[in-house]
Amino acid sequence: MKGRKKDEWEQLRDRLMVTPRLVWDLVDQPTREAIMAYGERYKTFLDLAKTEREGVTEVERLVQKRGFVDLNSKSRGPKSYYNYKGKTIVLTLQGRRPLMDGLRLVAAHIDSPRLDLKQYPLYEDTDLAFLKTHYYGGIKKYQWLARPLALHGVILKADGSRVELKVGEDPADPVFTVCDLLPHLARKTQMDKKVTDAFEGEKLNVLAGSLPLGDKDTKERVKLYLLKFLEDRYGIREEDFVSAELEVVPAGPARDLGWDRSLVGGYGQDDRSCVYAALEGLLTAQKPEYTCLALFYDKEEVGSDGNTSARSCLLEEIVELLLERQKEKAAGRRVLMASRAISADVTGALDPDYPEVHEKRNAARLGYGVSLTKFTGHGGKYSANDAHAEYIAWLRRVFQEAGVIWQASHLGKVDEGGGGTIAKYLAVHGLEIIDCGTPLLSMHSPFEVASKADLYMTFKAYQAFFTAPGE
Ligand code: MN
Ligand code: MN
């Protein structure tokens, strides 16, 4: 009798309480294999897409192979892409309904925190050659010291010719580094200071060479050696750096992490985990009811300013192009007002070493699936898109029907800090939007950590969203 009562309470618990669901507990063997296989494809993508330019090039290459045509060309088809300035790319997949019924958008960003070279970067000091940088996005500066770095980017010469550069990724390549002070001499300069004061942006100088040219009377001969080398190798001279975009990123590939290989460690998972999930989600979306767009924006990490960002007019332009192509007379604004969107971005996962910054009941946990974040921003819900309850209810239904394992989360304790995404910039068009993406540990570091289970569930979530019926 007593035992039976206990069962009833357990049933009541199951029915009424939220139980966090560890993905690994719930998936069968074929799904486990699909998770691992997805992880392999994902790591390859991370390695080929370390900068926004490389990301756009790789996405374009992959979708061209799958029959996507340039939206700006004369070719017509249900699948198209729009490459904007090589830094932002949008994929479209035609749905059965007219555009005026609304679109399904998954919007991620393809830029990541890094060090950018300044326009006169090269100098010599103490018979060593260095490159001056300005950091891009939110970094903890000390994480970039004393580690192998690679240089990626483009140099445009005044005659219009273009040099593409990627040094430090092939095991045979040289790498670069930012030196750090030895602990023996760091007491006053670093150890006794606040972390924000101890590491100066102006000291993030990249060591690039040490061979001299000429004899001891030659001025700046280490710098001269490198300039001669750059002329011989790339046909450039110092002034060409002015019209270059060279990005310093952590060298080396993404790796399996842990003996059980359940995690991925690597650079740029904010936000390429969501980019790749949206890409595979769109490529595998079968006969969607609504026209689907995957948008991979630039400049999110620096506040979405500029013409390749989520605040640009690119989305409106694409809607106009689609309307023209499908000979629909609807207003672009109405199409967007009727649309539903996911702001596909990562969130910080609960770090067991720093429980004090998290509110554990509402923190995302690694391995518990894709995260749904109703609002981002900071104290008092400032600077946030706050997704509507009606919309979240619909998404819960979509995820449930597709077997997506998800968790609701909020970044950090109230007033602990915070962060924004592009959700609020897209929300101004009147569309429904919510943040939904992969939880990460060591977010914004040179070696971010994700669970393969969460990465796969992010893909499943976007795929389900693209194909779900309206109501
Ligand atoms: Mn992000
Ligand atoms: Mn970020």
Side-chain angles (χ1 to χ4, degrees), residues 109 270 300-301 443-444:
H109 66 90
D270 175 5
E300 192 276 345
E301 293 295 358
M443 190 176 138
H444 271 220

Side-chain angles (χ1 to χ4, degrees), residues 81-263:
Y81 67 89
Y82 190 114
N83 175 340
Y84 191 56
K85 297 185 186 290
K87 293 183 174 181
T88 291
I89 190 164
V90 179
L91 312 178
T92 79
L93 176 62
Q94 194 178 323
R96 301 194 302 275
R97 287 187 185 231
L99 295 164
M100 60 178 284
D101 287 357
L103 308 169
R104 290 282 162 81
L105 302 100
V106 175
H109 66 90
I110 203 156
D111 61 321
S112 291
R114 59 183 191 245
L115 308 179
D116 284 346
L117 292 199
K118 289 189 184 181
Q119 278 11 89
Y120 294 127
L122 188 59
Y123 71 99
E124 111 171 43
D125 196 342
T126 325
D127 300 306
L128 298 169
F130 293 94
L131 300 163
K132 296 295 300 178
T133 66
H134 192 140
Y135 63 97
Y136 172 98
I139 64 164
K140 289 161 93 174
K141 296 180 187 97
Y142 64 82
Q143 293 179 338
W144 290 75
L145 308 178
R147 59 177 301 138
L149 298 168
L151 192 60
H152 294 228
V154 294
I155 303 159
L156 275 300
K157 293 194 262 182
D159 66 6
S161 61
R162 176 190 186 91
V163 179
E164 306 237 356
L165 205 146
K166 177 149 110 174
V167 185
E169 300 298 349
D170 188 295
D173 279 354
V175 293
F176 304 88
T177 196
V178 178
C179 295
D180 196 5
L181 200 51
L182 63 170
H184 316 64
L185 296 178
R187 187 181 301 161
K188 284 188 208 150
T189 312
Q190 291 178 336
M191 307 301 198
D192 291 348
K193 287 185 182 164
K194 276 169 51 187
V195 180
T196 44
D197 299 332
F199 304 97
E200 293 170 40
E202 205 54 70
K203 287 186 177 170
L204 294 174
N205 300 316
V206 175
L207 182 56
S210 70
L211 277 184
L213 201 67
D215 57 33
K216 62 182 175 27
D217 296 325
T218 313
K219 275 171 65 180
E220 295 189 280
R221 56 203 191 116
V222 181
K223 174 176 172 175
L224 193 60
Y225 183 98
L226 278 192
L227 283 173
K228 183 70 178 72
F229 170 84
L230 293 171
E231 183 185 40
D232 294 345
R233 173 65 64 92
Y234 304 111
I236 60 164
R237 52 200 176 91
E238 190 172 18
E239 194 178 281
D240 292 319
F241 281 114
V242 173
S243 49
E245 287 177 349
L246 295 169
E247 305 180 6
V248 179
V249 297
R255 305 288 295 265
D256 280 344
L257 183 65
W259 267 308
D260 58 11
R261 297 181 180 272
S262 60
L263 306 161

Side-chain angles (χ1 to χ4, degrees), residues 387-463:
H388 301 297
E390 290 84 350
Y391 185 49
I392 304 175
W394 173 77
L395 256 187
R396 282 172 58 199
R397 199 155 66 240
V398 169
F399 289 171
Q400 190 185 335
E401 277 163 16
V404 175
I405 300 167
W406 59 276
Q407 53 185 323
S409 80
H410 179 249
L411 181 67
K413 279 184 179 166
V414 176
D415 292 334
E416 189 69 43
T421 65
I422 60 175
K424 61 179 175 172
Y425 304 123
L426 297 181
V428 297
H429 295 294
L431 42 74
E432 296 285 355
I433 188 162
I434 185 168
D435 279 291
C436 175
T438 318
L440 297 183
L441 286 172
S442 291
M443 190 176 138
H444 271 220
S445 81
F447 195 73
E448 299 177 307
V449 176
S451 160
K452 286 185 184 174
D454 300 336
L455 290 164
Y456 183 75
M457 284 301 157
T458 308
F459 148 67
K460 292 294 282 182
Y462 300 164
Q463 184 195 50

Side-chain angles (χ1 to χ4, degrees), residues 54-67:
E54 290 171 3
V56 167
T57 304
E58 181 59 10
V59 168
E60 183 175 34
R61 191 184 70 80
L62 290 170
V63 300
Q64 278 175 342
K65 281 206 309 200
R66 305 286 290 262

